[in-house]
């Protein structure tokens, strides 16, 4: 149904003399070379767009109903769900909905995504709908690349899914030749394997390549950025990049007591934020290779927008604040939510122009212009109680 590879046959044509009134084809007795050519960026079965097409996947934790809210048309496509959904993750195209009671992870194709070629991007749209399910005792951390999707559970064990299978509408688990309770993260065509503190590089099939010098005890939280892969560790933040095609790694020290939590950033950027285990706001600037710590009060979620851009902080009283990433000083604030559910706290989702906050109490999603003093641009009704939310299309 969905596939990322195709070829188009283009026949070579003979040259037409400019002085002729008409243009004739090649002489029947002349051999004509035919070449197979794939138009740049072409994906079979998908429509290429001139700009990103963002959507929100929302879920009602009581009924399990899932809604796919199109941020252009403001229309919602509803999908039947199962009660007990209590976790959600996304990777730009797919949403992963976890139900603790059933210990399953349901995968939904949102039908929109971006392919980043570094100096330019391509944007696509195709059919949306359920893909399938996998067993998952807990809500996993999702890290993906063009070939594999890693589902890393809080106990450290990782499951790997074939990415092309997901794109074609099937769920296929990959079992590399690895042993132990390792966290396995795809990066730069290889596997980064973290186990018992060691950090190793493996081929896709699991065969070992090398061990990196830094250690990573108790990995918790990871993100892929424009400046490499980052992983939260007990001793600091593991930062893996490439140099001359080979992976290199360093440990970035924590700015103070505690350690990082979930690592949040706008997709494609190289600035990240986290709420530390001590409840403070930390901002990681990978260009400077350093963390900065700021005082924070009752932070529910925090997302860094990018280099030279603010950090958005949502607090427990329902206030959204925009902070300077260098000083932590407030640039703007707006009171958004009358009630915050501690069991299912709202989430901040951020793209290049907008931020989204789900307001389950009001049954709305608030769209914020983060470049205009946190102006509320729209309050959207997804038709499904938005207890959980993730953005796709990036």
């Amino acid at each position: 149904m969905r596939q990322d590879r195709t070829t188009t046959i283009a026949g070579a044509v003979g040259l037409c003399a400019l002085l002729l009134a008409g243009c004739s084809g090649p002489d029947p007795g002349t051999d004509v070379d035919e070449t197979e050519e794939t138009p740049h960026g072409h994906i079979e079965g998908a429509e290429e767009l001139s700009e990103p097409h963002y959507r929100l996947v929302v879920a009602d934790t009581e009924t399990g109903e899932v809604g796919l809210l199109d941020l252009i048309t403001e229309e919602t496509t509803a999908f039947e769900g199962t009660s007990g959904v209590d976790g959600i993750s996304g990777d730009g195209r797919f949403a992963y909905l976890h139900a603790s009671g059933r210990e399953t992870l349901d995968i939904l194709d949102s039908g929109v995504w971006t392919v980043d070629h570094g100096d330019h991007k391509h944007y696509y749209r195709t059919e949306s709908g359920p893909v399938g399910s996998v067993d998952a005792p807990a809500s996993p951390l999702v890290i993906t690349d063009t070939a594999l999707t890693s589902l890393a559970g809080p106990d450290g064990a990782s499951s790997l899914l074939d990415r092309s299978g997901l794109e074609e509408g099937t769920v296929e688990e990959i079992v590399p030749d690895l042993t132990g309770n390792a966290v396995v993260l795809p990066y730069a065509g290889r596997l980064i394997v973290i186990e018992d503190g060691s950090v190793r590089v493996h081929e896709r099939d699991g065969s070992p390549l090398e061990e990196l010098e830094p250690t990573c005890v108790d990995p918790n939280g990871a993100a892929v950025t424009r400046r490499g892969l980052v992983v939260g560790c007990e001793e600091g933040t593991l930062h893996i990049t490439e140099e001359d095609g080979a992976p290199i790694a360093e440990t970035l020290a924590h700015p103070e007591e505690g350690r990082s939590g979930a690592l949040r950033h706008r997709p494609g950027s190289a600035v990240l934020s986290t709420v530390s285990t001590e409840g403070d706001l930390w901002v990681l600037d990978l260009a400077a290779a350093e963390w900065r710590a700021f005082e924070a009060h009752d932070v529910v979620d925090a997302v860094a927008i990018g280099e030279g851009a603010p950090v958005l902080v949502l607090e427990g009283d329902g206030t959204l604040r925009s902070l300077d990433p260098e000083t932590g000083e407030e640039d703007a604030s707006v009171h958004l939510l009358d009630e915050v559910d501690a069991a299912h706290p709202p989430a901040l989702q951020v793209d290049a122009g907008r931020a989204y906050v789900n307001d389950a109490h009001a049954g709305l999603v608030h769209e914020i212009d983060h470049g205009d003093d946190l102006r509320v641009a729209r309050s959207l009704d997804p038709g499904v109680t938005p207890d959980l939310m993730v953005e796709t299309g990036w």
Side-chain angles (χ1 to χ4, degrees), residues 96-276:
Y96 304 83
L97 298 116
H98 184 259
S100 296
R102 293 183 292 120
E103 295 191 347
T104 58
L105 192 72
D106 296 328
I107 304 172
L108 175 74
D109 187 348
S110 73
V112 289
W113 70 99
T114 296
V115 176
D116 190 346
H117 288 291
D119 60 343
H120 68 284
K121 297 179 180 180
H122 294 270
Y123 312 105
Y124 299 98
R125 177 175 59 200
T126 188
E127 297 178 42
S128 60
V131 178
S133 301
V134 294
D135 294 335
S139 187
L141 169 71
V142 178
I143 298 292
T144 191
D145 67 4
T146 57
L148 293 174
T149 294
S150 170
L151 309 176
D155 62 350
S158 296
S159 299
L160 295 177
L161 305 180
D162 178 68
R163 181 71 179 187
S164 63
L166 294 180
E167 293 165 355
E168 294 169 2
T170 61
V171 179
E172 180 183 351
E173 291 197 58
I174 304 297
V175 184
D177 186 17
L178 295 169
T179 59
N181 203 36
V183 172
V184 183
L185 305 173
Y187 177 67
R190 304 179 180 89
L191 298 177
I192 304 300
V193 180
I194 304 174
E195 184 179 20
D196 298 329
S198 70
V199 181
R200 306 190 304 273
V201 183
H202 289 243
E203 296 282 13
R204 292 290 193 187
D205 63 3
S207 56
L209 289 174
E210 63 177 303
E211 183 169 341
L212 301 178
E213 183 176 346
T215 61
C216 180
V217 175
D218 188 22
N220 178 29
V224 178
T225 77
R226 277 195 174 276
R227 292 181 179 268
L229 172 70
V230 291
V231 184
C233 311
E234 185 177 283
E235 59 269 55
T237 301
L238 179 68
H239 183 208
I240 300 176
T241 56
E242 280 191 297
E243 186 175 281
D244 298 327
I248 58 174
E250 63 177 333
T251 299
L252 305 178
H254 294 150
E256 56 185 19
E257 291 294 323
R259 57 173 296 177
S260 61
L263 299 168
R264 303 293 317 281
H265 72 308
R266 176 179 60 81
S269 70
V271 180
L272 302 96
S273 60
T274 190
V275 182
S276 76

